[in-house]
Amino acid sequence: MNRIPTDPFTVDHDEIKPVEQKAAKPATGLRSVPEVNVEEPFAIEDLFFSRTDKRGVIEAYNEVFVRIAGFGGSELQGAPHNIIRHSDMPKAVFWLLWNGLKNGTPVGAYVKNKTKSGKYYWVFAIASPLGNGDFLSVRLKPTSPLLGVVSDLYGEILHAEKSEALSPEDSANRMMGRIQELGFQTYAMFQAHALFEEFEARRKTMGTKQFSDLSNIHTISENASHLRHEIALLSTRFDEAALLIANMKIFAAKLPEGRSTINEIAKNYDLMLRDIRNHLKTLDIQESFDGIWEASRDQNSFFMLCTSHLLEEMCKNFKDEGCLGGKTSKEDETHVLNKLRNTYNTKSISAVVHGIQSTMVIQRRVDFLRRMILGLSTIRIACRVEAGTLRDTAKGLDNIVARLDDFHDEIEEQLEKIQGAVNAILKGVDRSILGESE
Ligand SMILES: Cc1cc2nc3c(=O)[nH]c(=O)nc-3n(C[C@H](O)[C@H](O)[C@H](O)COP(=O)(O)O)c2cc1C
């Protein structure tokens, strides 16, 4: 009997072993047909799904899968999923697929499949652990420009697999290297980006409205990266100011005794500057990612939300499709689809809630930063006054004070940009709470 772990995305890692090609169900009169370089067309609205056991043996499927793959329901039922494997697919992709599923992580991937008559069709598949050892894959028609990039990448990796006799794992590492060159630190980041691109490209072709939760998370995540950039710039400015103050301290040390006020001012300024630089570190919202299945909260939210919407659509479509053959009932499969959709929904909501909490923390820290900078500015004014009194005796101090004034103008400007990004994030958060779109 399958155990149901508390976290529906958690599976028993050790028990999962994909079915080898040779262990495939004895073909029910199936002959392996040579591949032909002809695409099997299907509509942008078509969504497929299949449910497999822990080894990838098909247990349930929908009508679209039967129609496009060209296999009869009885041929799919009980067959290993590699029944539709296309020889253009590198092993690396399936290594990543199984590695993710074993890790309890949903996996999104471009897959070129083979129909019964040897034609090909591309899908973007999202395979998810169901929590009881089974897996479910929902698939859509990929139409974004990323498909061309990935198709070329697969060609290159397949060539390397053959010419260098790479193991699936080595090949997956090679592919990860190339994915990183494309700008994605981890596979989870790549799949979140790819799913969002495909989801949006499909929606535009179908002419449907953008989901408000997705548009809001898009605004939030764009402004969060804006914010990170501006905070990094502000930190650099403060590093430069530390040098300026070091110069002022050297300058003050050279002054005759009895002229030490400027020295005290420089010391105070320096102390305040240090506090601000430490505070800035708490504003650094850069996350670090260890494994290939890690992504930022925003990226995970995109993935969860898109999958949740797709599963909802899949449920609706499935309702209108013909009856299932085989060992399962339409009610049972509808239940499985709905349950998975609810899991994604709950996870995406908790990711949004977490996002709201961290935005509030950032807002408070930016407010505090503003107050600290105001304090720093007061010390700077004291410095300017003292420089005025020392004009005749301390040549060169004017120049340092003028540079300090420039520095304060720059950080004021930078603070405005930071506040702008925080405001935009807060607006996105408000809209998410109210379920509104831009
Ligand atoms: C839920 C699920 C869906 C899958 N979908 C596909 C698919 O659409 N096409 C495919 O070739 N393999 C798919 N696979 C992977 C296959 O099980 C298999 O690993 C792959 O075809 C490689 O086969 P091979 O090891 O015989 O080369 C799926 C696996 C799971 C668990």
Side-chain angles (χ1 to χ4, degrees):
M1 206 180 77
N2 292 325
R3 275 175 288 135
I4 315 252
T6 39
D7 183 344
F9 283 159
T10 307
V11 284
D12 190 337
H13 304 167
D14 298 332
E15 283 182 17
I16 302 170
K17 280 205 187 74
V19 176
E20 303 275 331
Q21 181 81 60
K22 52 184 171 310
K25 183 177 108 163
T28 45
L30 295 180
R31 276 177 300 110
S32 181
V33 178
E35 285 167 7
V36 282
N37 193 20
V38 177
E39 186 167 6
E40 179 67 47
F42 61 98
I44 191 85
E45 289 83 7
D46 284 335
L47 288 179
F48 312 54
F49 86 83
S50 49
R51 180 173 58 78
T52 74
D53 70 4
K54 64 186 177 193
R55 300 163 309 145
V57 171
I58 299 169
E59 294 190 328
Y61 46 83
N62 71 330
E63 222 178 55
V64 176
F65 189 16
V66 171
R67 172 160 53 84
I68 309 305
F71 290 101
S74 59
E75 291 169 326
L76 288 178
Q77 182 76 42
H81 223 305
N82 63 11
I83 189 171
I84 53 166
R85 192 198 194 300
H86 197 283
S87 64
D88 283 353
M89 282 297 292
K91 292 181 199 138
V93 181
F94 299 116
W95 187 91
L96 281 166
L97 173 81
W98 285 103
N99 181 269
L101 293 177
K102 280 183 207 173
N103 189 47
T105 312
V107 180
Y110 287 92
V111 185
K112 185 174 185 177
N113 279 325
K114 186 178 78 163
T115 70
K116 188 177 177 182
S117 62
K119 292 182 189 171
Y120 72 87
Y121 64 99
W122 278 98
V123 289
F124 186 82
I126 304 130
S128 313
L130 289 174
N132 61 352
D134 288 356
F135 303 115
L136 187 132
S137 153
V138 57
R139 305 184 279 280
L140 58 88
K141 186 183 177 75
T143 49
S144 90
L146 199 54
L147 173 63
V149 176
V150 170
S151 167
D152 290 349
L153 172 63
Y154 283 5
E156 181 194 319
I157 298 295
L158 184 71
H159 177 75
E161 279 178 5
K162 288 180 180 159
S163 60
E164 299 172 46
L166 293 179
S167 72
E169 184 172 356
D170 287 345
S171 176
N173 283 329
R174 177 80 60 93
M175 195 164 98
M176 262 323 300
R178 296 287 287 109
I179 285 176
Q180 279 165 351
E181 282 167 25
L182 291 176
F184 305 96
Q185 232 176 306
T186 68
Y187 190 81
M189 289 180 182
F190 166 74
Q191 68 179 23
H193 173 83
L195 174 56
F196 183 65
E197 291 294 298
E198 294 306 342
F199 188 89
E200 282 301 287
R202 178 174 180 268
R203 181 188 65 74
K204 282 177 193 154
T205 309
M206 285 166 63
T208 47
K209 249 184 84 189
Q210 190 176 31
F211 285 96
S212 61
D213 48 13
L214 277 168
S215 69
N216 289 332
I217 194 100
H218 196 241
T219 309
I220 293 172
S221 106
E222 275 200 331
N223 282 290
S225 76
H226 229 85
L227 183 64
R228 272 195 292 272
H229 177 71
E230 298 300 343
I231 288 171
L233 280 179
L234 190 64
S235 297
T236 321
R237 298 247 186 281
F238 274 96
D239 293 345
E240 289 160 9
L243 276 176
L244 201 58
I245 289 305
N247 277 344
M248 192 189 285
K249 279 161 89 184
I250 295 169
F251 189 91
K254 286 188 203 152
L255 288 174
E257 257 182 78
R259 295 278 186 207
S260 57
T261 317
I262 192 73
N263 198 12
E264 289 307 311
I265 291 172
K267 265 195 216 155
N268 277 328
Y269 195 97
D270 192 31
L271 282 176
M272 192 78 180
L273 205 62
R274 269 178 218 207
D275 283 349
I276 295 180
R277 288 170 85 195
N278 283 336
H279 181 68
L280 270 174
K281 284 185 196 141
T282 69
L283 267 173
D284 188 0
I285 46 172
Q286 204 86 42
E287 297 167 84
S288 63
F289 306 98
D290 288 337
I292 54 170
W293 300 111
E294 285 190 20
S296 74
R297 240 187 321 275
D298 291 347
Q299 286 158 330
N300 280 329
S301 297
F302 275 126
F303 192 85
M304 305 277 176
L305 284 172
C306 289
T307 310
S308 167
H309 289 307
L310 279 174
L311 284 165
E312 188 175 1
E313 191 182 328
M314 182 72 258
C315 288
K316 276 191 205 134
N317 294 0
F318 189 47
K319 208 164 143 247
D320 300 330
E321 288 184 11
C323 267
L324 278 176
K327 293 181 183 157
T328 180
S329 74
K330 203 165 164 180
E331 289 69 36
D332 286 350
E333 293 315 314
T334 305
H335 178 71
V336 171
L337 286 169
N338 269 320
K339 198 168 160 224
L340 186 63
R341 194 244 154 185
N342 288 339
T343 306
Y344 275 107
N345 211 18
T346 313
K347 288 206 172 227
S348 58
I349 289 170
S350 70
V352 170
V353 169
H354 201 288
I356 293 172
Q357 286 163 345
S358 28
T359 312
M360 297 306 170
V361 171
I362 290 173
Q363 170 70 78
R364 278 199 296 277
R365 288 182 181 164
V366 168
D367 285 347
F368 190 58
L369 178 69
R370 237 176 217 292
R371 288 201 292 276
M372 288 174 111
I373 290 178
L374 197 65
L376 191 70
S377 190
T378 315
I379 305 175
R380 184 239 337 199
I381 289 164
C383 182
R384 201 196 289 152
V385 172
E386 186 61 12
T389 62
L390 292 176
R391 182 154 298 142
D392 299 330
T393 40
K395 295 223 174 331
L397 189 58
D398 274 357
N399 183 28
I400 296 181
V401 173
R403 282 169 66 195
L404 216 52
D405 285 343
D406 289 347
F407 161 67
H408 276 264
D409 288 347
E410 280 166 15
I411 55 175
E412 277 304 324
E413 219 175 277
Q414 202 68 29
L415 261 183
E416 285 314 308
K417 287 185 187 163
I418 289 177
Q419 191 59 57
V422 171
N423 290 346
I425 294 174
L426 286 171
K427 221 183 216 175
V429 164
D430 277 350
R431 280 197 295 260
S432 309
I433 297 170
L434 299 170
E436 291 171 353
S437 47
E438 279 178 66

